Each structure stands twice: as structure tokens, then as C-alpha cells.
Amino acid sequence: MSSSDDQHRIDPATGAPAPATGSASAARTRVKRQLPTVRDLAPLMQFRKPSLPGRRQRLEQALTIWDLRDIAARRTPKAAFDYTEGAAEAEISLARARQAFEDIEFTPAILRDVSRVDTSREVLGAPVSYPFGIAPTGFTRMMQTEGERAGARAAGRAGIPFSLSTMGTTAIEDVRDANPHGRNWFQLYMWKDREKSMALVSRAQQAGFDTLLVTVDVPVAGARLRDKRNGFSIPPQLSARTVVNAIPRPWWWFDFLTTEPLAFASLDRWSGTVGELLDHMFDPTVTYEDLAWIRDQWQGKVVVKGVQSLADAKRLADLGVDGITLSNHGGRQLDRAPVPFHLLPSVVKEVGGDTEVHLDTGIMSGADIVAAVALGAKFTMVGRAYLYGLMAGGEAGVDRMIQIVSEQIERTMRLLGVASLDELEPGHVTQLQRLQPIPRV
């Protein structure tokens, strides 16, 4: 029967036109409806238990590092927040480093038993629970008054290393007391006053710090324009704009004014801008010979932080350092510096068999860390992510940061079909490039 015959068919029982069998109406069925009962609705109406707004609630609602960043921005005065958030000049280096992690494609394996995943490994001769640690950060108690003590305690609980900066605001011995059984690393800037530099190294050695991070990418201070515009200094310089910005953040000022005065725990007091302090302290004459001398003074592991070329990585490996950290200082020194994540595969290929290769700059998730490990990084460090957690909720905020990142690591590993860090390999990651270098003439 044709479709036109079907449209004119008559139902013999009623004499009325029959529904067209090929039409949409034939597919419709009548739905029996009834009013819902309380018994039916009860399982569908489970309301969340009310809770008073506060630190615990806001941290539980943070599901990513970016969420912690948003909380930190609301709770921290602009000058302090911008010191964490900002980078050098046009901030191109930082943007490119983060973009590099976004421009990856994961290749998962399927039908693997990932009911359990092992995120631990040995780093610099001792175990860590996860392949990341807390990077050295300066002015930390300016961000939130609990400062380095909060970071050290949280790191100790999580089984990851904590790094104290030369520019830290908590004494070496106080960090040891906050994290007496965990791994503490000390980050060294070589100053013009060599005796003061090595006095800090000696104190860290006596306090049981197991690793020395020698930072080599700060011969002079980078041009951190946000800090200059904000008048960021130690002690803080108050202006009308500073006061207005602080009005909706009374808790920060209460903490700042009712705790021990902010100062560099490892330095004499300083009154001036951050850039002036860095230029006064740091020595632009430091060479490889100085690095060899520093290594001879330290009895533990030595890692050189701030490596930005394959040639330097090879030379450091020949020098016999225990590790190198590919880093452009979080984009805070040379703008348009190399992207550490892009350097990683070639450096691992050339020196990874003899020297541990670590990575920082731009890491904002556990997936970023998994990608770095897959391409050969032995270890990674997070700086801004740590400070966002600290500013969002003090020690509890650092705990939350570690929880978020560690859960992301475990979930990403399971979705990739790997049960341990050693199963991650370059085939799991494709780096998608936006910027293609023009061949040199």
C-alpha cells in the first residue's frame, strides 16, 4: 500500500480515519499519569545538611586549584595576592608554561586492572608518597600569617618534601620543628656576602635538611611590574588604595597585626622594595666554579634549580649534581624564557640516566604532574598552587590543595590504565605545539 493510501485508510470498527501507520502519531503512546505521593518524593528530595559559612565549608567547595585561587583572591589584599599571582614584565613566560600543559593529549590504555594505584616513588634516595612537593616561596607569611609552618606540617602529613626559601619568613629551625619527621629541603640563593650564604647552609645542615636546592636563574631581579605598581615592600607601604582594598578583608589585617612582625627569618631586616632587596643581595658573578664549591660544602643531595637549556643540563650532569630542576622561576625572571615542559623530553633523553630531572613552572593540576612524569620527570614542585591553598585557608587550605592534586593524580592514572608511576611512559602523552621555532640560519 502506498503512503497516500495509508493516509486515507478508514477504521472499519468506527468508520473514522485510522491513524497513519507511518506517521509520528503511531509512535506515540499514552502515558499513564498520577499524582506523586510523599513516599515517592522522599528519595528524590534529599537536601544537603545546612552548615555555617566558614573555612571548612569554603575549602570543601573548592574542587580545583583554580577554585582555591578564587577564594585566595577574595581573602587577600591585592598587593600580597599579586605577588603570588604575578610574573615578569608581560607575563608571557608564565602564560606559555601553563598553555603547554593544556596543549597535551593523553592516550589511555584500556582493560587494565587499576583497582589500586601506587603514587609513591624514590626521589633523591628517599621515598615520597606523591611525585610532587612544595616549592620554595618567599614572603610567605605576607600571603597568610601561618606561612611556612603550615606548609611544612601539611607536607609532612602527606609524605612529600617541603622546601624553605632563602627569602622565607620562618626560621630554618622552626620549619624543622614544624616538620620534624618529614623531608625538608633548603633553597639557596648565593649572595654577594658568601659568608652569610654559607652560614645558612650550615644551619640547614645542622637542622637535618636533606637536600640543597641551589637556584641559579636570579643573577638580578626580574621586572615584576605588578609589585612595582602595588608598591609591594617589606614592611608593607600603606597608601589610600591599599587601605581601601583592605577594608573588605579585615581578617587578613587582624592576623597580620596580631602576630609576630613580618621579616625575613634568614636575613637582617630590610626596608625597601622587593626588587631593591634582590638586587642588593644576589650576586651576578656566580659561576660553575662557585656551584662546585657549594656542592663540596653540603653533605646531602644537591639539586640545581632554574635550568633552561639542554647544554646547561649536560654540563651540570657532568659536574655530578644529584638532580636538576627545569624551571623558569614561575615566569618571574626572564619573560619569554623557554617552557620547561617543552624542554623535558630532550633533557631526560640526554641526562636522565645519570641525574634526576625535576620540573616546575605552570603546574596547576594533578594531570599536569602525570603528564610530566610520563615524559620522564622524576619529580615536580608546586609553588603558586601551594600559596593559593595557604591564602584560601591557612594550613587547612594547604591540606586541601594536596588532597585535590593527589586525587587528580590517582584519577588520571586510573583513566590512563596505569597502576604505578613507573608504568607511565611517553606514549601516554602527545605534546601539541602552537609555537613552532623558525630554523636558525
Side-chain angles (χ1 to χ4, degrees):
M1 181 183 291
S2 68
S3 59
S4 59
D5 293 336
D6 193 40
Q7 292 174 0
H8 295 93
R9 192 167 59 86
I10 303 298
D11 187 336
T14 63
T21 56
S23 68
S25 61
R28 299 193 188 104
T29 58
R30 292 184 179 274
V31 177
K32 183 179 179 181
R33 299 185 183 277
Q34 64 183 28
L35 292 175
T37 65
V38 174
R39 182 179 176 182
D40 295 329
L41 287 176
L44 306 176
M45 304 293 286
Q46 299 292 326
F47 293 99
R48 182 180 298 176
K49 292 182 179 180
S51 60
L52 295 175
R55 174 183 293 188
R56 179 176 178 180
Q57 183 187 47
R58 69 173 178 267
L59 292 178
E60 287 178 350
Q61 292 175 348
L63 304 180
T64 67
I65 300 303
W66 294 107
D67 291 340
L68 290 175
R69 176 200 171 277
D70 292 342
I71 298 170
R74 294 196 299 268
R75 299 187 59 82
T76 312
K78 178 176 172 58
F81 180 80
D82 276 357
Y83 177 76
T84 294
E85 176 83 352
E89 303 193 40
E91 304 186 356
I92 295 171
S93 287
L94 177 58
R96 286 179 178 172
R98 286 181 172 163
Q99 190 67 61
F101 283 110
E102 293 181 18
D103 290 348
I104 64 170
E105 180 178 271
F106 283 124
T107 303
I110 60 171
L111 299 177
R112 305 294 198 274
D113 182 358
V114 289
S115 54
R116 294 184 179 181
V117 295
D118 182 5
T119 61
S120 66
R121 69 180 356 177
E122 187 173 283
V123 173
L124 298 172
V128 297
S129 297
Y130 297 96
F132 73 97
I134 292 180
T137 62
F139 303 87
T140 312
R141 289 188 56 245
M142 174 71 81
M143 312 306 121
Q144 204 273 351
T145 191
E146 296 175 52
E148 289 89 354
R149 291 181 182 89
R153 284 192 290 261
R157 279 191 297 273
I160 63 175
F162 174 83
S163 305
L164 174 65
S165 171
T166 298
M167 307 294 290
T169 48
T170 301
I172 291 169
E173 296 76 14
D174 292 338
V175 168
R176 173 202 59 201
D177 294 343
N179 185 25
H181 306 297
R183 298 187 66 184
N184 294 315
W185 297 358
F186 184 71
Q187 177 269 329
L188 175 70
Y189 290 122
M190 181 54 72
W191 306 343
K192 294 174 183 176
D193 188 332
R194 300 297 173 89
E195 289 187 8
K196 285 188 176 181
S197 297
M198 299 319 294
L200 291 178
V201 170
S202 178
R203 283 174 59 189
Q205 189 94 65
Q206 293 173 11
F209 284 50
D210 65 74
T211 296
L212 185 67
L213 298 174
V214 184
T215 298
V216 295
D217 57 0
V218 188
V220 296
R224 301 172 192 175
L225 305 186
R226 293 201 202 194
D227 296 342
K228 291 184 178 180
R229 292 177 179 127
N230 289 329
F232 186 76
S233 63
I234 299 290
Q237 296 177 348
L238 297 180
S239 65
R241 186 173 64 176
T242 304
V243 173
V244 169
N245 181 256
I247 290 173
R249 299 168 176 84
W251 47 83
W252 186 91
W253 283 103
F254 176 78
D255 284 342
F256 183 76
L257 296 174
T258 60
T259 56
E260 60 183 299
L262 183 69
F264 295 112
S266 303
L267 315 174
D268 296 331
R269 292 187 180 274
W270 175 264
S271 180
T273 67
V274 175
E276 290 169 348
L277 172 62
L278 300 183
D279 285 336
H280 174 78
M281 286 176 46
F282 300 152
D283 188 353
T285 69
V286 175
T287 65
Y288 275 92
E289 287 70 26
D290 295 299
L291 179 62
W293 177 74
I294 293 169
R295 184 198 59 189
D296 291 340
Q297 311 301 308
W298 180 258
Q299 297 174 11
K301 302 293 185 179
V302 174
V303 175
V304 179
K305 183 176 180 293
V307 181
Q308 299 174 69
S309 74
L310 178 58
D312 281 331
K314 289 180 178 179
R315 188 167 180 182
L316 289 167
D318 291 340
L319 189 63
V321 300
D322 300 288
I324 61 173
T325 301
L326 301 178
S327 168
N328 64 30
H329 213 99
R332 297 165 70 80
Q333 285 299 107
L334 174 66
D335 207 8
R336 299 177 178 84
V339 176
F341 186 59
H342 286 166
L343 283 172
L344 180 60
S346 59
V347 171
V348 169
K349 180 180 178 181
E350 292 292 333
V351 306
D354 303 316
T355 305
E356 288 192 13
V357 180
H358 301 180
L359 182 86
D360 78 6
T361 301
I363 294 173
M364 288 291 284
S365 76
D368 297 342
I369 293 170
V370 170
V373 173
L375 292 184
K378 187 74 172 180
F379 190 69
T380 63
M381 288 194 289
V382 296
R384 286 184 177 87
Y386 150 58
L387 291 178
Y388 292 146
L390 182 67
M391 289 186 285
E395 187 173 333
V398 183
D399 285 333
R400 182 60 178 151
M401 179 278 297
I402 294 172
Q403 181 184 22
I404 289 171
V405 172
S406 60
E407 288 177 352
Q408 290 172 334
I409 289 172
E410 293 177 17
R411 181 169 58 250
T412 304
M413 289 174 63
R414 284 190 166 97
L415 292 173
L416 285 175
V418 299
S420 70
L421 297 177
D422 290 338
E423 292 180 28
L424 289 167
E425 49 91 21
H428 287 113
V429 176
T430 300
Q431 290 181 299
L432 308 175
Q433 287 195 337
R434 294 173 184 245
L435 304 174
Q436 294 284 351
I438 297 175
R440 292 190 177 98
V441 176

